[in-house]
Amino acid sequence: MARRPGAPAAYGEDFSFVSPLVKYLLFFFNMLFWVISMVMVAVGVYARLMKHEEAALACLAVDPAILLIVVGILMFLLTFCGCIGSLRENICLLQTFSLCLTVVFLLQLAAGVLGFVFSDKVRGKVSEIINNAIVHYRDDLDLQNLIDFGQKEFSCCGGISYKDWSLNMYFNCSEDNPSRERCSVPYSCCLPTPNQAVINTMCGQGMQALDYLEASKVIYTNGCIDRLVNWIHSNLFVLGGVALGLAIPQLVGILLSMILVSQIKDQIKLQLYNQQHRADPWY
């Protein structure tokens, strides 16, 4: 039958603007991170439950398990919108996914810029976090392992210096401190001993009572903040690569979701056009 002049080109009944490649690529992209988010939440909950209740509440603000749970839940909700939205071709869920992912990307970008511009304030905040972690060193095994790893990895001790360990009630140098670790530092502050078969966990005994020169023969005396800043300056290209690696999946997710939303809208317009002109004898 002849087509009305000026009418859009006719499409077959099976034609669809929605590309299966884009649809399922976005679905499996979100499914991957959805599974990762569930693993993160499970690990965080398990780590949290394994701690004593009192210790868990004492260091809530610096607990790595809490951070893992929060990030995992947010990622779970975000990727859930992406999975269901792409599978069901739901514009609302896809737009929510795209908007949230855009906001996350912009927040990360803003945090990077602000961190660079206000580096002094960031340094003060990092110092506050490290000091708080030192206070709760013996309260949380995960936190303790994290601090020990950081001190050994960066060859440092404390925040500003090794004497920062007086902030901890067990390592405090006050005369009325009954702890056997009084005026000491953790073993992770100690200089490595070649061919040492057994780790000497008491190697930092009484180190805070010594001056820098004497203490430097046994332990690291430099603080971890300066070491961390120096490490960042020495690994800017690596950090840039990591940042790019985090940004690319987010940008890919935003792009795919926007393309799919556009295709779904075109498909809806096509269906409405077909319904309106199905009874048209010139159609």
Side-chain angles (χ1 to χ4, degrees):
M1 183 177 290
R3 182 168 56 87
R4 177 184 295 170
Y11 294 99
E13 292 293 331
D14 296 332
F15 177 82
S16 175
F17 280 108
V18 179
S19 168
L21 176 63
V22 175
K23 175 180 177 178
Y24 290 105
L25 186 60
L26 182 60
F27 171 75
F28 286 113
F29 172 83
N30 281 280
M31 177 63 74
L32 173 63
F33 288 96
W34 190 54
V35 173
I36 293 175
S37 69
M38 288 192 292
V39 172
M40 290 174 63
V41 173
V43 172
V45 170
Y46 175 78
R48 192 70 183 168
L49 293 176
M50 289 297 101
K51 299 174 183 176
H52 296 295
E53 184 176 355
E54 296 80 4
L57 292 176
C59 50
L60 186 63
V62 292
D63 190 353
I66 290 295
L67 180 62
L68 204 61
I69 294 172
V70 171
V71 173
I73 290 176
L74 292 177
M75 187 187 296
F76 177 88
L77 295 174
L78 185 59
T79 52
F80 179 80
C81 290
C83 279
I84 303 302
S86 59
L87 196 61
R88 303 296 298 172
E89 298 180 9
N90 187 299
I91 292 179
C92 181
L93 288 177
L94 286 173
Q95 288 179 333
T96 300
F97 168 76
S98 179
L99 178 62
C100 291
L101 205 56
T102 302
V103 170
V104 170
F105 175 77
L106 293 177
L107 287 176
Q108 291 175 345
L109 187 62
V113 173
L114 291 175
F116 179 79
V117 174
F118 301 102
S119 56
D120 291 339
K121 291 186 177 180
V122 172
R123 183 188 179 94
K125 188 61 179 178
V126 170
S127 178
E128 180 183 337
I129 293 173
I130 290 178
N131 288 339
N132 191 29
I134 288 175
V135 170
H136 297 292
Y137 176 77
R138 288 298 190 201
D139 301 334
D140 185 343
L141 185 58
D142 290 338
L143 181 62
Q144 180 176 318
N145 291 333
L146 182 62
I147 293 174
D148 287 336
F149 172 79
Q151 292 191 145
K152 287 187 289 186
E153 187 71 17
F154 292 106
S155 302
C156 59
C157 188
I160 304 299
S161 75
Y162 65 100
K163 291 183 181 292
D164 288 341
W165 280 101
S166 276
L167 295 171
N168 187 281
M169 60 183 295
Y170 298 99
F171 298 104
N172 189 276
C173 285
S174 59
E175 294 293 338
D176 57 347
N177 184 6
S179 172
R180 290 192 303 172
E181 296 179 308
R182 175 182 170 275
C183 230
S184 301
V185 295
Y187 78 95
S188 54
C189 289
C190 297
L191 298 173
T193 303
N195 302 322
Q196 186 179 29
V198 179
I199 297 177
N200 178 15
T201 57
M202 301 300 292
C203 59
Q205 189 75 27
M207 287 296 112
Q208 291 187 64
L210 304 179
D211 59 30
Y212 279 85
L213 187 58
E214 292 179 340
S216 62
K217 298 177 182 178
V218 183
I219 64 172
Y220 302 115
T221 53
N222 292 323
C224 292
I225 295 177
D226 290 334
R227 289 287 190 178
L228 180 60
V229 171
N230 292 336
W231 182 86
I232 291 174
H233 288 164
S234 302
N235 295 273
L236 287 177
F237 286 108
V238 175
L239 294 175
V242 172
L244 186 63
L246 292 174
I248 288 178
Q250 296 175 25
L251 293 174
V252 169
I254 294 171
L255 180 62
L256 287 176
S257 60
M258 292 176 65
I259 292 174
L260 188 56
V261 167
S262 177
Q263 291 178 345
I264 294 172
K265 287 181 177 180
D266 289 339
Q267 182 65 20
I268 292 174
K269 290 178 182 178
L270 176 62
Q271 291 174 349
L272 291 175
Y273 179 84
N274 289 338
Q275 290 175 2
Q276 291 171 359
H277 295 82
R278 190 159 291 164
D280 190 342
W282 292 96
Y283 178 67

